[in-house]
């Protein structure tokens, strides 16, 4: 497996699924123009020459030197004549640098993003034309097209587990001595710690899911072409598993609950959904496992992402859904060992995440709280429900207690809308439906622990009901939103609430509760179906289900302020300084 | 009813009650001088002439052009000879304007509040003479005094439902084409949206109930004369209904509870108080209904007011008190339909209010939280109590659950005293007694739902007891406070707590709890009596029970910065800018 | 007792204990050099002459004039010729001041903290020598050494109850008329309110326990010598009582609980520990009582200290531990009157402390919240537990309810890590173990109130378990920390948690819970033993168990802003201003 090239490293089994699912799988397409303002900024930094730089400009294009380790040396090995010309020619003709410095003036904020070896070389070749702020060059002839192995796109290497690591080690071995060579070699300094600090995510990204690059930022990965599939496959894909898995439970409940017996729902629906769910969980897990193996750097960046990080609870919750929704024909009662196996990673993640909330670092709750944190809470209640269903008692109460304590904290914090909660979307957004998840599941969990739907369960259920209604009436939630895979995560709360309603109607059976059960079930099934259709359309028709995952491609240090960005940046940093001091 | 003039539009029934209660009902009295600094600022903006302007100065007095739509054209139609006389008389002594303009210099922030249509017109006709800076003219001879209909005070028209609307439409129809006439007609631009943004309430008002105009602000309604009664009748008048209604329940409880049977209280007291309460609720509701009909604009402004808005829960709570305190001789058991009818508006208000807390706009909880928010919580518990008393079960638990969840949020938020909670009074204030209301009523509600005063009820009761004691020992709460109608709202928590104490003493009957019951009941009855006397004194002796309701008369855009205010304002806006950016 | 001099005022009984425990008891040793940067600043302020000033420089050394009332007049009485020379010579020859200002130049660090009467006098006598920046003079020959009464160290007088008060009264009697004598007498103005404002504690101190003086600050008490023992004896010494007292309960529980019966623990351990605990509580109480009597000023400053103030709950909690851990051989059942006697002061303190949280002053919760606040919560649960063990019911529920409500508030607030919580340690710290205390004790209290370890108790217990685990895995908590007496307070939560575990294992008896019981008991006993050894080493070997208690020696007004500090300070004050305005 390691013999094949990395982009093609997916096992055959996977490939036949994934490549069917997503056209353009592993193909790298060329962008043809300036796609965003951010890119424009990047482009103006590029001091390449217009005419002759096309062939080698490709590989070094938009990578800011200080953002990520550029395997300069190894990359340059491909064209030995070029790479060796740098050290020799630099001392001889520093003219290009001089011109550049005059141009940027005494207030230059940050010496050239691309005062890297190659740009310097370019300038040396044609010093006069180097001043031309060239149009971005159509970059990235894909490796497949050219068919030549030594022209494969190396810009993704820093995210690769092996190539990146080895080349980085190699570079740093060579890079460190070069640091002492003086200013001229600044561009060659290789960063050995490419992981951005947490604050960078807040600074560089925006949007309710922190998935859009700010205008002032540049991406470390090329924005003009499609990345390798694995790099574009986000952890939030597990949201699909949550959505379908919860539907399987819903239909199991609809089929078995006496209060909605008049619907005569067959258990077959549950079986079908459960199988779908099982396939989905397996597929997504397998693909993500590959991502962990081959692009560990990218996974780390997802884990560090303030919103995305919460989705790391999703795989385990999805498995718990599988356990909970298992058709009676498949297994009457799942083994309790499974429960312990699934709760262990949830527990570890919680110790990590809740500890970060409390410990005063960059991830303290007054800073990161946002509705997606509910994913890190709801695992407790789902676990408690699953455990109690299996007949366990102390374990479920433990997770219920942990969930309750932290849910109180999160609920209060989110409701308060502290102005310091930078990741909390300014306006309401479908992500707020996650609010409904925790009390819905908590009511069921408590009812299962307790043996019946007592006052405690009802309080939790009614809180969920109120929140559901309160969100549902705000129509403006649903306007002007573009589809994203993360939406799946926002459907499982409504499904969970439907299940809780059926459970409640079992306790209080009357026309009203039965109508509620049917109504909410219909809504949730409709939502999931609509989303499924959207997903299929996006996957096979529009072929944009997995766009470039900009969230993980932020630079480590913030925009290396070229001129026009500079004033903005200084304001920014002043503000940040003040924030640190004051708030 | 629409044939009569608006100020006299109260139905006869009402009039006989209200005019007895408040002398000066509907009469508009003249102020005679400059009453406050804010007014001084407004006054200097008034560019009328000293001698001849008295008669017609009345109608255009203190209305800043940019704050509210001035129905200039329609107003001028009433006396064409008069309206055209203005431009003629002004030119005779335009000296003041010149002085003013020199003084304000090239950086003048806002050219005269009243460079509105008429003053602008004046300048165009005789530009040189437009400059006299006159002393403020004693304005506002009331319409009644003069007895001439076309001289009625039109300054209140913008708040009127019909006159305002029609005239505004008329003005805007005429005003819009005028906008293209150039700068000279700037004053003619008619504001079609006269409702201030939420932030304006925080900026323009101060005091624990946000009912005092800041020095830098001007009122859109004349501060020098009494406004029409309906405009001065605030929603907080329902506080009286809460106070008397809760007393009716207290005396019913005292008469029927075995633990205080040794007092031999007669149910007649309950009957009398209940009838008083019924009359009060009817009267206040009727008057407020008239306000809704005739001054809808004013009601909207009250509803938008961050503190006052919470009082919109009061009418429904007062009705629930009536239901709860109904004497056994009147009705053994009220119909449950009544409960649903009363809870529906409470539910709708809650969906609105709690949604605003969460949704990140200007009314988010970390900004608006203040003790009067308890009014929006306590309705849940009162509703739960009333419903459970009627024998309902799920509905009461629903409201109990919603109340509990949001009470937790509010309790934590208020206790934290976030520095961003701008409406929270700096120091303790009687409004803090509202803290006692929710847990008191919650303990009774839970006891009624549950069938007995269990541990849960006791926990709620003891929390109320601690808070009551904690507030009561802080003597400085009670110093230096002037009477206001809002005080009534602060008495019902003590009454509610007394009832809870009696309820508790029924469960734990001993000398100590009986003493507590008697003691707290005595305190609450004494408080209510004292307040009743104060209210009567203020209503009939001092005749200032309903002062001008400054809270609703703030301008839409902030002070139209005259010179001395300007530096202050720029600091202010800088700070606000920063707040938005940073916090 | 009042006949003896104050430093020797400890009763004989105490002395024999305390002087054995701490060598250097009551002796005042001389520092010999500059010990810290703060002291350096203080030292350069001292404008004494090298040769002749020794004798009287002693007494006035490091007391900044504006920080604390200097009993100038009474002090000067000793040398009447000197004191009378001041008013006369000052106007005549301002030369000394002039010289001083030239010399200190534009960068002078701190103009004369001691431009007090005596230093001025010194300079006037020998203006030329005054310019010599002398090395700090070895100050403070102890009164014992010299044996002359009028040379005893008067720098501690302001903290003394009687000498301080009398002399201050005397000074103020004389000082007030002198205020009218003009500027020359500025130094003589006597401060009558020597207590620093709360904000000063935040400004002047740093560290997780606010026990380290900031660099820019000076101490009002000499930092170069050991203070009188009582001044160095902090309220946090009661932490030892908590630690040993809780161990006594643990071993009682180990001896009596059937679930750990296999350990065959003897009740003798409980008896021994209880006696130790009794002796410790008595000793510490007695010493602290002496501090209250003789250094009331110091006690007030400890009470006002945002962190230290919470330790005023410790004595009563320690007594409750004694009651709870009483060996069956000593008393079968303690009298309930004892419970009321102990809960009364806790209740009073709570009314005070919680009221401050809510009331919007400098001690509002969003400002002061820090883990040591748990001490003010845990008293409720300990009280509830002790009361319920005695067979009481309503009282314990009352305290349980108060504790629950305020614990919720504190838990949420601490978990949120509001950026305004200035006393919350930046990073995790052993003080966070106090998090475990409240839920542990609450679970036991609820179980005792309720009669068995129900779901409520389990939820509390499991929350404690999660928090314990979450803190224990963070190894970096335990690095780089220096021993302090306060550590004792952080051991009782682990002991409390062990007891709760045993209690839980009584309900759910299996190998796992038994192992947990034994394990956690071992850890807590080991921790306490280790701490005991450390304490003994520090007390008798290193003799630094009670270092100078800098926390109480902050000046009232902040550094007397000399030039270079000024810009810093102005930024500071600007920031504070902004904070007040914005946040």
């Amino acid at each position: 497996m390691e013999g094949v090239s990395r982009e093609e490293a997916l096992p055959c089994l996977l490939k036949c699924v994934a490549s069917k699912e997503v056209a353009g799988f592993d193909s790298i397409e060329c962008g043809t123009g300036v796609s965003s303002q951010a890119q424009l900024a990047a482009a103006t930094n590029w001091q390449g020459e217009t005419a002759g730089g096309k062939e080698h400009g490709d590989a070094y294009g938009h990578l800011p030197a200080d953002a990520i380790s550029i395997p300069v040396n190894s990359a340059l090995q491909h064209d030995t004549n070029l790479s060796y010309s740098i050290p020799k020619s630099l001392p001889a003709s520093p003219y290009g640098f001089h011109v550049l410095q005059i141009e940027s003036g005494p207030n230059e904020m940050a010496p050239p993003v691309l005062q890297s070896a190659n740009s310097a070389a370019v300038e040396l070749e044609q010093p006069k034309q180097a001043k031309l702020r060239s149009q971005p060059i159509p970059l990235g002839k894909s490796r497949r097209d050219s068919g030549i192995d030594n022209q494969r796109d190396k810009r993704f290497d820093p995210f690769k587990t092996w190539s990146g690591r080895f080349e980085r080690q190699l570079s740093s071995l060579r890079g460190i001595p070069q640091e002492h060579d003086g200013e001229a070699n600044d561009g060659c300094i290789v960063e050995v710690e490419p992981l951005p600090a947490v604050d960078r995510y807040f600074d560089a990204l925006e949007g309710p899911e922190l998935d859009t690059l700010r205008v002032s930022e540049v991406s470390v990965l090329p924005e003009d072409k499609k990345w390798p599939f694995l790099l574009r496959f986000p952890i939030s894909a597990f949201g699909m598993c949550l959505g379908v898995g919860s539907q399987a439970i819903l239909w199991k409940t609809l089929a078995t609950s006496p209060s909605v017996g008049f619907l005569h729902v067959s258990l077959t629906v549950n079986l079908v959904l459960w199988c779908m769910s099982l396939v989905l969980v397996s597929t997504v897990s397998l693909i993500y496992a590959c991502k962990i193996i081959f692009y560990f750097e990218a996974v780390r960046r997802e884990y560090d992402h303030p919103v995305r990080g919460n989705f790391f609870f999703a795989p385990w919750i999805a498995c718990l859904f599988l356990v909970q929704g298992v058709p009676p024909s498949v297994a009457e009662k799942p083994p309790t060992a499974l429960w312990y196996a699934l709760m262990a990673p949830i527990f570890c993640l919680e110790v990590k995440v809740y500890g970060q909330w409390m410990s005063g670092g960059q991830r303290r709750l007054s800073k990161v709280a946002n509705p997606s944190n509910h994913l890190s809470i709801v695992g407790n209640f789902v676990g408690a429900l699953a455990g109690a269903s299996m007949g366990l008692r102390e374990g479920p109460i433990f997770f219920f207690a942990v969930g309750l304590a932290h849910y109180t904290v999160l609920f209060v914090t989110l409701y308060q809308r502290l102005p310091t909660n930078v990741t909390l979307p300014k306006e309401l957004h479908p992500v707020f439906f996650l609010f409904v998840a925790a009390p819905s599941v908590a009511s069921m969990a408590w009812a299962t622990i307790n043996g019946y739907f007592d006052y405690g369960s009802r309080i939790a259920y009614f809180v969920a009901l109120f929140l559901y209604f309160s969100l549902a009436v705000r129509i403006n939630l649903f306007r002007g939103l573009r589809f994203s895979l993360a939406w799946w995560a926002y459907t499982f709360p409504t499904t969970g609430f439907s299940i809780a309603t059926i459970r409640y109607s079992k306790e209080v059976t009357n026309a009203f509760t039965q109508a509620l059960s049917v109504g909410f079930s219909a809504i949730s099934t409709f939502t999931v179906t609509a989303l499924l259709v959207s997903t299929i359309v996006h996957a096979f028709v529009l072929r944009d289900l997995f766009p470039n995952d900009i969230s993980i491609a932020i630079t480590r240090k913030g925009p290396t302020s070229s001129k026009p960005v500079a004033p903005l940046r200084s304001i920014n940093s002043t503000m940040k300084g003040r924030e640190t001091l004051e708030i």
Side-chain angles (χ1 to χ4, degrees), chain A:
Chain A
M1 208 161 111
E2 289 172 22
V4 300
S5 105
R6 271 78 200 169
E7 285 89 354
E8 291 180 336
L10 286 176
C12 299
L13 171 91
L14 233 179
K15 223 172 188 171
C16 68
V17 176
S19 64
K20 244 192 290 175
E21 197 174 304
V22 188
F25 177 89
D26 201 14
S27 75
I28 300 168
E29 291 164 12
C30 306
T32 52
V34 179
S35 64
S36 76
Q37 198 179 333
Q39 192 170 342
L40 184 63
T44 52
N45 286 326
W46 170 249
Q47 314 284 343
E49 37 133 23
T50 323
K54 245 176 192 167
E55 297 84 29
H56 47 84
D58 188 345
Y60 315 112
H62 291 86
L63 272 180
D66 63 339
I68 238 185
S69 62
I70 305 179
V72 171
N73 298 297
S74 61
L76 291 176
Q77 286 174 335
H78 297 295
D79 283 309
T80 42
N81 65 324
L82 186 67
S83 67
Y84 285 105
S85 72
I86 300 167
K88 281 171 194 159
S89 53
L90 261 178
S93 57
Y95 181 63
F97 270 108
H98 187 61
V99 168
L100 183 76
Q101 272 161 8
I102 285 171
E103 192 192 312
S104 56
N107 282 328
E108 48 164 347
M109 284 290 292
V113 178
L114 279 189
Q115 269 185 5
S116 59
N118 49 341
S119 72
V122 166
E123 285 192 288
L124 289 173
E125 287 185 351
Q126 280 136 346
K128 276 167 197 161
Q129 286 159 9
K131 283 188 283 182
L132 271 171
R133 299 255 158 175
S134 64
Q135 286 300 312
I137 305 147
L139 302 170
K141 295 199 170 195
S142 87
R143 188 182 41 72
R144 252 184 217 170
D145 296 348
S146 62
I148 307 165
D149 195 16
N150 62 0
Q151 282 194 355
R152 73 183 182 84
D153 198 327
K154 290 201 180 53
R155 286 175 294 176
F156 301 107
D157 283 0
F159 282 77
K160 286 186 188 161
T161 308
W162 291 294
S163 67
R165 185 184 297 162
F166 288 155
E167 288 173 21
R168 236 176 296 146
Q169 285 172 349
L170 214 64
S171 327
S172 63
L173 277 175
R174 295 189 190 179
I176 288 161
Q178 286 184 353
E179 281 186 44
H180 305 286
D181 292 354
E183 244 186 333
N185 281 331
D186 266 8
C188 297
I189 295 170
V190 177
E191 305 277 343
V192 283
E193 171 44 33
L195 221 59
V198 191
D199 270 346
R200 282 292 302 140
Y201 290 93
F202 299 123
D203 291 350
L205 300 168
E206 59 189 358
E209 290 155 40
L210 283 187
D211 55 357
T212 317
L213 210 62
R214 284 184 202 276
V215 172
S216 58
E217 296 283 332
V218 287
S219 163
V220 294
L221 294 183
E223 288 179 88
D224 56 339
K225 57 189 284 186
K226 245 189 185 167
W227 304 346
F229 175 70
L230 284 179
L231 270 185
R232 289 179 286 119
F233 190 81
I235 184 82
S236 36
F238 281 101
M240 288 189 291
C241 308
L242 293 181
V244 179
S246 57
Q247 280 291 316
I249 305 177
L250 171 65
W251 286 90
K252 183 182 178 184
T253 315
L254 280 173
T256 56
S257 181
S259 64
V260 286
F262 60 89
L263 292 174
H264 303 296
V265 173
S266 159
L267 264 172
T268 321
V269 189
N270 164 239
L271 184 64
V272 170
L273 283 167
W274 189 79
C275 291
M276 270 178 66
S277 183
L278 186 66
V279 170
L280 206 56
V281 170
S282 316
T283 313
V284 174
S285 302
L286 222 73
I287 300 179
Y288 207 79
C290 291
K291 185 171 177 181
I292 294 174
I293 295 169
F294 298 114
Y295 290 97
F296 188 67
E297 172 74 24
V299 174
R300 278 174 71 193
R301 279 162 171 258
E302 280 197 281
Y303 181 72
D304 280 352
H305 189 283
V307 171
R308 201 69 74 74
N310 293 299
F311 280 84
F312 280 79
F313 284 92
W316 319 107
I317 298 174
C319 292
L320 285 169
F321 279 173
L322 277 184
V323 171
Q324 189 68 11
V326 63
S329 54
V330 173
E332 203 51 60
K333 205 173 175 181
T336 54
L338 198 58
W339 186 80
Y340 287 107
L342 290 172
M343 295 315 287
I346 289 183
F347 178 74
C348 294
L349 279 170
E350 279 172 357
V351 168
K352 179 87 182 160
V353 169
Y354 303 162
Q356 286 173 339
W357 290 357
M358 192 206 273
S359 70
Q362 291 296 345
R363 294 172 184 285
R364 58 174 189 271
L365 193 59
S366 67
K367 192 159 189 185
V368 300
N370 71 80
S372 70
N373 291 130
H374 278 117
L375 281 172
S376 64
I377 299 285
V378 87
N380 291 300
F381 295 122
V382 175
L385 173 59
S389 306
M390 286 172 181
L392 295 169
R393 215 172 109 127
E394 301 304 314
I397 298 178
F398 173 81
F399 282 101
F400 188 86
V402 172
L404 187 66
H406 292 88
Y407 182 61
T408 307
V409 175
L410 186 65
F411 185 74
V412 172
T413 308
L414 289 178
Y415 234 110
Q416 283 183 332
R417 281 222 159 240
L418 296 172
T420 49
N421 282 147
V422 284
T423 58
L424 198 58
K426 280 267 183 298
E427 291 303 320
L428 285 179
H429 182 269
V431 75
F432 273 82
F433 272 99
L434 282 170
F435 258 94
V436 179
S440 302
V441 186
S443 79
M444 286 186 282
W446 188 247
T448 312
I449 289 169
N450 215 18
Y452 73 107
F453 209 90
D454 70 346
Y455 288 149
S457 302
R458 280 177 207 197
I459 287 178
Y461 173 71
F462 286 136
V463 169
L465 175 61
F466 182 82
L467 291 171
Y468 191 106
F469 187 81
S470 177
L471 289 169
V473 294
R474 286 165 211 279
I475 308 293
N476 59 344
L477 267 181
F478 307 104
R479 279 187 312 199
L481 291 164
R482 55 188 176 75
F483 173 83
S484 106
L485 209 54
W487 279 57
W488 275 99
Y490 315 151
T491 65
F492 96 86
T494 64
T495 311
F497 179 72
S498 309
I499 303 168
T501 304
I502 298 168
R503 184 73 188 256
Y504 171 66
S505 77
K506 206 166 100 185
E507 204 75 20
V508 181
T509 314
N510 59 39
F512 182 65
T513 56
Q514 285 172 328
L516 280 183
S517 303
V518 175
F520 287 127
S521 302
I523 292 172
S524 82
T525 304
F526 171 76
T527 314
V528 170
T529 311
L531 211 53
L532 194 64
V533 170
S534 299
T535 306
I536 290 168
V537 167
H538 279 275
F540 299 108
V541 182
L542 304 174
R543 305 197 165 184
D544 62 354
L545 184 62
F546 298 101
N548 286 349
D549 187 15
I550 291 298
S551 312
I552 61 163
I554 60 170
T555 54
R556 201 173 65 83
K557 269 189 187 162
T560 43
S561 60
S562 39
K563 267 274 189 51
V565 188
L568 255 168
R569 227 197 131 211
S570 70
I571 288 165
N572 235 333
S573 63
T574 313
M575 267 170 46
K576 258 181 292 170
R578 269 209 313 242
E579 191 184 70
T580 318
L581 289 166
E582 287 175 19
I583 303 187

